[in-house]
Amino acid sequence: MKILHFLFFCLLSDAGVQVEAKHNIWSAAEGGNASFLCYLTLSGSTKFFCKEKCERAEDILIKTDGSTAQSGRYSIKYKDGSPGSGIVSATFTHMIKSDSGMYRCALGRPSVPDSYYDFEVRVSNDLGKRVGFYRTQTEGENITLGCSNTVYGQRKFFCKNQCKNEGEILIDTTNDKSVSGRYSIEYRPVSTFGLYGTITQLTKSDTGEYSCGYGNPLSPDSYGSVNVLVIDASNTTASPLQTTTQSESVTPGVSTHCPDSSWLLVVRASLDGVLLMAVFLMLFYISKTRRNFGLNTRENDTKMELFAAHENLDPTSEHKEPKRSRTKPTLHY
């Protein structure tokens, strides 16, 4: 039975083989300046800002043991976050098309960091230079935005644009969770931001600035804002934006590079075949064992009955008290 439990666990675990880790995509205007915050799970240590994975010396844009550093058009600032965590602010100035690519903020060592965060940058000449980074998401997907992690009272809000009037307020609530159509807001204790706003089934019209936080939305006590850019799912070049249409945030410290999905399908099919065969053989073995056990039990019962009959007919036992017949034992499977 333990073996069957193990095989069942393997079948359940294998279902996650095809799940690909995804990363945040941030778009910015060519010629503009933009900053990005990396939330890391540890604090202190040596700070790295790299293009790609920091595996080669030429990929390391900045390395420092201090709280600030600059190298050409790139700069970083470090500060401690919630207990045991750190925040690296990475800034690009006068962005150019070749800035497009994968980036990593990391603490510790470049080859084996203690904590890191990967994100993708896309540079376009069709975006506003004053905005900075746009959180980029594919049409039809969902997006979750982190709000202010400074808590002020029970009142929470989620707005499109800057909450300058009632028409821009999507949600205004005192509950820890509230839903209105495709929009929702949720307070999650002991998390990076605490308060999160979510939009489901994104459309092109969802492109714009969003803010969420605490207090009166028209005069907030604390809030965070981000610009969202929704791109066409059917256009692989995503207008001026290039590369894949990956989305969703990834937990710091989890690599976003995964094996090819077709190879994973082959591996999973092979594993499923082997596991199913193992389950079939195990069931066959159990069935055969029970059948043999039943045959042996019936054979033993027959022998006991014959022995009892022979003993009752024994001439030497005439003057003995007749023996009581034995009750056939009941088998419990």
Side-chain angles (χ1 to χ4, degrees):
M1 187 58 69
K2 290 182 179 179
I3 296 176
L4 286 175
H5 286 169
F6 171 74
L7 292 174
F8 183 68
F9 172 78
C10 290
L11 286 169
L12 289 177
S13 300
D14 187 55
V17 170
Q18 296 183 78
V19 177
E20 295 186 26
K22 295 184 178 182
H23 54 262
N24 281 332
I25 301 172
W26 298 86
S27 302
E30 185 177 15
N33 304 331
S35 296
F36 178 80
L37 296 179
C38 301
Y39 290 84
L40 304 174
T41 56
L42 297 176
S43 60
S45 189
T46 303
K47 297 88 180 172
F48 289 88
F49 180 50
C50 310
K51 194 164 187 179
E52 298 298 334
K53 291 183 175 182
C54 305
E55 293 176 342
R56 302 177 302 174
E58 56 266 33
D59 293 337
I60 300 176
L61 304 175
I62 295 177
K63 173 185 176 183
T64 182
D65 291 321
S67 57
T68 62
Q70 181 174 349
S71 177
R73 295 183 301 107
Y74 310 103
S75 62
I76 64 171
K77 291 182 179 180
Y78 173 83
K79 66 177 182 179
D80 290 331
S82 56
S85 66
I87 304 172
V88 173
S89 173
T91 300
F92 299 73
T93 59
H94 306 295
M95 299 188 76
I96 57 179
K97 285 291 185 70
S98 61
D99 286 329
S100 296
M102 292 297 302
Y103 288 84
R104 170 173 288 185
C105 304
L107 296 177
R109 295 169 294 172
S111 57
V112 187
D114 298 321
S115 178
Y116 66 90
Y117 192 89
D118 291 342
F119 62 99
E120 180 182 350
V121 169
R122 299 178 181 180
V123 181
S124 166
N125 55 12
D126 291 345
L127 299 174
K129 293 183 180 181
R130 295 184 179 181
V131 173
F133 276 125
Y134 291 79
R135 171 77 181 274
T136 306
Q137 203 84 359
T138 304
E139 191 175 17
E141 293 184 332
N142 305 333
I143 188 171
T144 297
L145 310 172
C147 308
S148 170
N149 55 6
T150 303
V151 181
Y152 285 97
Q154 294 295 316
R155 190 174 179 181
K156 309 166 188 71
F157 65 87
F158 187 25
C159 299
K160 187 171 184 178
N161 298 325
Q162 299 177 0
C163 292
K164 291 182 178 179
N165 55 65
E166 295 288 344
E168 296 180 343
I169 302 173
L170 303 173
I171 296 177
D172 184 1
T173 182
T174 56
N175 298 324
D176 284 345
K177 185 174 183 180
S178 181
V179 179
S180 176
R182 295 185 300 112
Y183 308 101
S184 64
I185 193 169
E186 182 179 7
Y187 174 67
R188 305 173 188 170
V190 196
S191 61
T192 301
F193 290 99
L195 188 63
Y196 296 84
T198 298
I199 309 170
T200 60
Q201 296 297 309
L202 287 165
T203 65
K204 290 287 190 66
S205 62
D206 289 321
T207 294
E209 183 181 1
Y210 292 84
S211 59
C212 50
Y214 299 89
N216 184 338
L218 301 178
S219 180
D221 297 319
S222 174
Y223 72 98
S225 62
V226 64
N227 286 278
V228 173
L229 175 66
V230 182
I231 59 177
D232 191 348
S234 62
N235 188 348
T236 55
T237 59
S239 298
L241 307 176
Q242 298 179 351
T243 70
T244 62
T245 57
Q246 289 179 299
S247 59
E248 298 291 338
S249 61
V250 62
T251 304
V254 179
S255 174
T256 60
H257 299 276
C258 300
D260 182 71
S261 59
S262 60
W263 179 83
L264 289 173
L265 287 173
V266 173
V267 172
R268 183 181 179 185
S270 302
L271 288 173
D272 285 345
V274 171
L275 291 171
L276 288 173
M277 180 60 71
V279 171
F280 173 79
L281 292 175
M282 179 59 62
L283 292 174
F284 176 78
Y285 172 78
I286 291 173
S287 176
K288 184 177 180 181
T289 301
R290 287 184 173 179
R291 187 168 58 252
N292 290 340
F293 176 77
L295 290 173
N296 290 337
T297 303
R298 285 194 293 272
E299 184 179 351
N300 290 336
D301 288 344
T302 302
K303 288 180 178 179
M304 290 172 65
E305 290 172 358
L306 289 174
F307 175 80
H310 178 268
E311 190 176 25
N312 289 334
L313 293 174
D314 187 354
T316 61
S317 61
E318 295 181 350
H319 305 291
K320 295 181 181 177
E321 253 183 347
K323 293 189 176 181
R324 296 180 181 178
S325 60
R326 300 185 181 179
T327 302
K328 187 177 179 178
T330 302
L331 298 179
H332 298 278
Y333 292 94

